[in-house]
Amino acid sequence: MTPSPVAPGAAAEFLAAHPPFDALDAAELAALAALAEVEEHAAGATVLAEGAAPPAHLRVVRTGAVEIVHDGRVLDLLGPGELLGHAPMLAGLPLGFTAVARGATTCLRLPGPAVRDLLGRPAGLRYVTRSLLAPPRTDLGTPDPAQRPVGELLRAPLCTAEESTTVREAARRMTACGASAVVVPIGHGRVGILTDRDLRTVVADGVDASATPLREAMTAPAWTAAADRLGGEVLLDMLDRGVSHVPVLGAGGELLGVLEDVDVVAATTRSSVGLRTRIARARDVDEVVAAARELTPTIVALHDARVAPADIAGITSVVADAVTRRLIELATPEAPPRPLTWLALGSLARREAVPSSDVDSALVWVGPEDDPVAAAHARDLAARVMAGLAAAGFRADANGAVATNPLFARSYEAWAAAARSWLHDPTQEKAPILVSLVVDARPVWGARQNPAVPDVFRDARRHPDLLRLLGRYALAHRPPTGFLRDFVVEHSGRRRGRLDLKRGGLVPIVDLARWAGMAAGVTGASTPARLRAAAAAGTLPAAAAATLEEAFHLVLGLRLAHQVDQLRAGEDPDDLVRPADLSAVTRASLREAFRAVASVQRRISAELDLGMR
């Protein structure tokens, strides 16, 4: 159909009443409204067709409603003020749905280039990612960027400059090549970055852009991502770090391009931004607890929407981070006596949490271990935060791996000394367990410039005794592959006749991935990322790594589905399933997965016995 003009004043008034346009100032809103056109669609008319090229325009439903249809099913109904076609437009992907007018409908049509910058701003990203509780957003027919390597998601042109280049010249280059960031190589595989948002800050601060070199204005060293990391993993890190651009490096450390958050968010069906925002705005612990209670129905809704289990686990972990962060902020209105960092450990650190997951945590401060003020502050903070987490439904680790335990609240110097002692003498009591916990550690709150405790283990390859001991520790958990319907089940108590998906299914894979990742020089990372790194470094055969990763996703999916059923029934989630309750196909798949993991374990065990590792 042919669009017709619309009065700018009427368009501006309408847009101003709806997000993300309500975040625009008057001048920006007027400029955008002047470009608006109106489309009229009869009842049943196709507004956008599945399989068509990415739309060049964004549409906003003005009157009536638009059905989102895929495979003959109505997935969503968009009403006045809701955006249509923004995801495929931003991602540059064909439409994975058909949009059909329900009754007589009008839409405002806005040129893509005019709205791309808006959707890249915080207000736009909040709209695009929306709340976790929002209904499915229709992008089911398009390739999911969350499951694609970020090297495949690069679309923006690469713009580079030298450290001595002035800020003004860098801005000219960014404009000339249509980029929203300039990257500056600074040696040793590191880069700096200056984004368009940084430029606005520079201007607002009154810096002389014509005389100031990039080295004084850029962020350096910039956080980077490897090209083979999955989009969902990188997006979670970007949200956690509060960055909108990340330079992407190839296997050899070469600069491939810059990934923007909208490149991933554009077609990602869910994110945690809405829930995280409510948690971040909570004024007291009670409001944090109230917001955190939304996580359970959210997980159920995401599972029903067929969001990938790994993505749901990542979202669960990010929400737990947000709760922890806000509780710390409420407990520490003033700066701590020593720079302090709160660490997530275990499944939360790997972003593999499910509803039954415990909260493992640790505290690190910079300064002497015997500083009584720092130690007292750490104890008080840990007690308040752990109490808040418990009220919000996050259980503390039953084995004592929590920040309230003095063993897990130390100065950085004490942590580093302990880690080095484990490297040199891995036979110490509980050393394999403590190394396994610490190497997973990920900072949740605090000064990121502080040294990272897991980094002490980056040279674990130079300590074969430790790796050999960790290898044997990883082999201690064997998958169940015999007896009742081809599974080993528990024989007593409430566990009788049940299969433990965590202990028998996930733990063997997680432990193997951690050991192989450390042998490859990788410390904190997700289990799939460790397996891919191990395959790339040769510490695991590529086929073995692929087998373990496939088994990981299968068991994680079964574990999550089991716990969602329990949540629906009002039960406390656990990891115990009855093999008889599984379908024949699921039992067969699980049996083959366990056997494949056991086969990998036997091969590694033989190599360790022969001293090959």
Side-chain angles (χ1 to χ4, degrees), residues 139-403:
D139 299 304
L140 303 180
T142 60
D144 184 1
Q147 301 304 316
R148 293 170 60 194
V150 293
E152 297 178 7
L153 301 177
L154 297 173
R155 296 186 301 107
L158 176 60
C159 179
T160 61
E162 301 297 324
E163 292 182 78
S164 58
T165 304
T166 66
V167 171
R168 175 168 294 176
E169 175 58 26
R172 289 197 187 102
R173 293 190 190 183
M174 290 167 60
T175 301
C177 64
S180 58
V182 60
V183 183
V184 181
I186 56 178
H188 305 293
R190 301 180 304 160
V191 298
I193 191 169
L194 184 81
T195 69
D196 50 2
R197 296 180 191 179
D198 296 332
L199 283 173
R200 289 195 289 271
T201 301
V202 167
V203 172
D205 290 345
V207 174
D208 185 354
S210 62
T212 302
L214 281 176
R215 69 169 63 91
E216 297 180 14
M218 67 186 183
T219 298
W223 174 65
T224 60
D228 61 351
R229 289 194 64 197
L230 296 184
E233 295 176 356
V234 174
L235 177 60
L236 287 171
D237 276 339
M238 294 172 77
L239 289 171
D240 187 45
R241 294 169 181 268
V243 300
S244 58
H245 297 71
V246 55
V248 176
L249 306 181
E254 68 278 15
L255 180 63
L256 301 181
V258 175
L259 182 77
E260 297 183 44
D261 45 16
V262 292
D263 294 333
V264 187
V265 171
T268 299
T269 55
R270 293 292 181 273
S271 107
S272 61
V273 171
L275 188 49
R276 288 171 72 239
T277 298
R278 287 193 290 281
I279 292 168
R281 291 176 178 171
R283 292 168 294 183
D284 54 35
V285 173
D286 289 341
E287 289 190 5
V288 173
V289 170
R293 287 179 183 147
E294 298 178 15
L295 181 58
T296 292
T298 292
I299 291 172
V300 175
L302 290 171
H303 182 264
D304 290 346
R306 299 182 180 180
V307 175
D311 290 344
I312 298 176
I315 287 167
T316 302
S317 304
V318 166
V319 171
D321 287 352
V323 171
T324 303
R325 200 174 289 125
R326 188 58 184 145
L327 289 172
I328 294 172
E329 291 168 350
L330 291 170
T332 55
E334 299 179 358
R338 295 277 186 180
L340 192 69
T341 302
W342 184 283
L343 300 175
L345 308 176
S347 59
L348 281 177
R350 300 189 304 273
R351 294 200 175 102
E352 295 166 2
V354 294
S356 67
S357 295
D358 293 342
V359 174
D360 302 57
S361 59
L363 271 173
V364 186
W365 67 83
V366 176
E369 175 68 8
D370 58 356
D371 184 334
V373 176
H377 177 80
R379 286 194 301 270
D380 180 66
L381 174 64
R384 293 189 185 191
V385 173
M386 295 305 297
L389 286 169
F394 296 96
R395 299 176 304 181
D397 175 62
N399 296 313
V402 290

Side-chain angles (χ1 to χ4, degrees), residues 422-439:
W422 299 330
L423 282 170
H424 293 289
D425 182 12
T427 62
Q428 296 178 66
E429 184 181 3
K430 296 184 179 180
I433 298 174
L434 293 171
V435 169
S436 299
L437 284 166
V438 173
V439 81

